[in-house]
Every structure is written in C-alpha cells, then in structure tokens.
Amino acid sequence: GNSVTQMEGPVTLSEEAFLTINCTYTATGYPSLFWYVQYPGEGLQLLLKATKADDKGSNKGFEATYRKETTSFHLEKGSVQVSDSAVYFCALPNTGFQKLVFGTGTRLLVSP
Amino acid sequence: DTEVTQTPKHLVMGMTNKKSLKCEQHMGHRAMYWYKQKAKKPPELMFVYSYEKLSINESVPSRFSPECPNSSLLNLHLHALQPEDSALYLCASSRTDMGFNTGELFFGEGSRLTVL
C-alpha cells in the first residue's frame, strides 16, 4: 500500500538558516501529498499540499514540490524562525483513500 | 485558534473509571475522526464518522466507544482502560469523508489522557 518515509530528526538549526526535510513516497498512481505541522501542545495543522505531479504547494514561507521522477515531496524554507520549531509530518492517502498515512514525523528545533 | 474544540484538555482516570472525551466543530463538516497519538509518534486513526454514521473502526478495542449525537458533536466514551491507553486523543473534521484524499483535516488540540 501507499507509504511515506521521512528523514529522522531532530533537525537543529539556527534562526535564518535554510531548511530541508526529506520525504519520499511509494504510491499507486499519483495521490495528493501533504505536509502537516504540530506545534508544541497542539493538534496537527495542514501546512501545504500538492494534488498532482510537478505541483508546488506553499504556505507561510514553506514550499514542497511533488516530484514523480524521484517520488519525493521535500519540505523547504529559505529562512527559519524560532516559531517554526515543531514536528512536521509528511502524509498521503492510503491506496483506498480510507485514511491518511503519516510519516514518522521530523522534529525541528530552531535556536535564536 | 482551532475551530475544533476538545474537552477536557487533560484527564486522569483509573482503570475502573468511566469517562468521556468530547469534540465539537461548527464548520458544517460532515466527517469527524478520532485519532490516538503516543509520544514522538504520528497519529493513528481510530474511528471515522460520515454523516453521523460510523464508517471506519480501525479494530479499536471495545473499551473505546465512539458516539456522534449530531453533525457538530463527537464523543469518545472510555471504560476499563489500561495504562497503555495513555496518549493524546485528537479529534478532527473535514467537509466529507473524502477528506483523506483532499487532505484537509482540521484537528483539535487534543485531550491528554493518563490512565493510572
């Protein structure tokens, strides 16, 4: 079935550094791909999504491009802030679209 | 501010207690979900309600009993839980049960449950 693999964390960066969190997927067809973010003490929020190959999702300075050639959906941000410290989950629907399959999550820690 | 409200935020219960978690949304969404999240893990789907009917039960033990009294409310009744059931319980909603395809799930902040 459909699955995602995320890079292990934590990722520790200084403020204004460039961020990349890797996500690769295995899927039947070309399902939509998502990044969710979970800030400390909160539930998950949809950060961005891409619905077809070569689409770029973007929100709050974060971007991710749906690349079918490399089966990847890496999350990037040009200049991180302390407030970006959170856990980031890559996700896609399972084969039957009955649920979201989440990656293991990557914790991002940004220091001033 | 989240538009999915969960109460209580924290709950401590013994293994013989009966308690309930509550979830409310006023976005007009017709699909609602319960997830369980253990520390440092992704959320795991437990139940899905679509138009107030249970559509998915991910083989959850019967000590967890969901209820959807109306389109805005979702409850999770807890009885005879085990210490390993301690976790963050997240409620979510989406416009339809195709939310898994659109990915547009709206989560509450969760209820942190501790079972002694």
Side-chain angles (χ1 to χ4, degrees):
Chain A
N2 295 352
S3 65
V4 290
T5 302
Q6 276 184 251
M7 64 187 288
E8 295 257 348
V11 173
T12 304
L13 295 172
S14 297
E15 207 165 22
E16 300 184 1
F18 184 85
L19 168 71
T20 300
I21 298 179
N22 290 341
C23 171
T24 57
Y25 67 89
T26 301
T28 302
Y30 301 103
S32 298
L33 301 175
F34 314 99
W35 277 102
Y36 275 81
V37 59
Q38 186 172 28
Y39 298 103
E42 298 186 11
L44 281 72
Q45 302 174 25
L46 178 64
L47 179 60
L48 54 83
K49 70 175 184 180
T51 57
K52 60 182 186 295
D54 300 324
D55 258 5
K56 178 186 284 187
S58 61
N59 186 25
K60 299 182 181 180
F62 291 89
E63 294 183 339
T65 301
Y66 190 158
R67 300 198 185 280
K68 65 178 181 180
E69 302 85 2
T70 53
T71 61
S72 65
F73 192 54
H74 303 325
L75 183 67
E76 297 181 334
K77 187 175 186 183
S79 175
V80 294
Q81 305 299 311
V82 172
S83 56
D84 293 326
S85 297
V87 180
Y88 294 82
F89 294 97
C90 187
L92 81 171
N94 72 337
T95 309
F97 299 120
Q98 292 174 317
K99 60 182 177 181
L100 276 181
V101 176
F102 288 97
T104 52
T106 302
R107 181 174 299 276
L108 171 64
L109 300 169
V110 181
S111 56
Chain B
D1 289 339
T2 182
E3 297 183 72
V4 176
T5 304
Q6 291 188 242
T7 56
K9 291 194 184 307
H10 300 275
L11 178 63
V12 179
M13 60 186 292
M15 289 189 284
T16 59
N17 292 157
K18 282 186 179 181
K19 297 286 185 183
S20 297
L21 304 180
K22 297 183 183 301
C23 175
E24 187 169 9
Q25 58 88 14
H26 293 290
M27 294 178 282
H29 290 171
R30 301 311 298 272
M32 296 186 76
Y33 314 83
W34 280 115
Y35 282 84
K36 173 182 178 181
Q37 186 178 28
K38 301 284 271 186
K40 300 186 188 298
K41 297 290 187 184
E44 301 172 18
L45 182 65
M46 299 175 72
F47 303 105
V48 180
Y49 273 84
S50 179
Y51 293 85
E52 296 91 69
K53 293 190 187 305
L54 183 65
S55 61
I56 295 177
N57 176 342
E58 290 283 289
S59 303
V60 178
S62 59
R63 57 186 184 269
F64 294 92
S65 175
E67 179 195 20
C68 189
N70 60 55
S71 60
S72 300
L73 294 174
L74 186 66
N75 298 321
L76 186 62
H77 302 298
L78 314 170
H79 175 54
L81 295 192
Q82 304 298 309
E84 58 265 29
D85 296 322
S86 298
L88 181 68
Y89 289 84
L90 293 164
C91 175
S93 69
S94 66
R95 281 196 298 273
T96 72
D97 59 0
M98 288 302 289
F100 295 128
N101 192 29
T102 66
E104 294 177 39
L105 300 184
F106 292 78
F107 284 84
E109 294 188 348
S111 294
R112 187 162 300 282
L113 173 67
T114 303
V115 182
L116 302 176

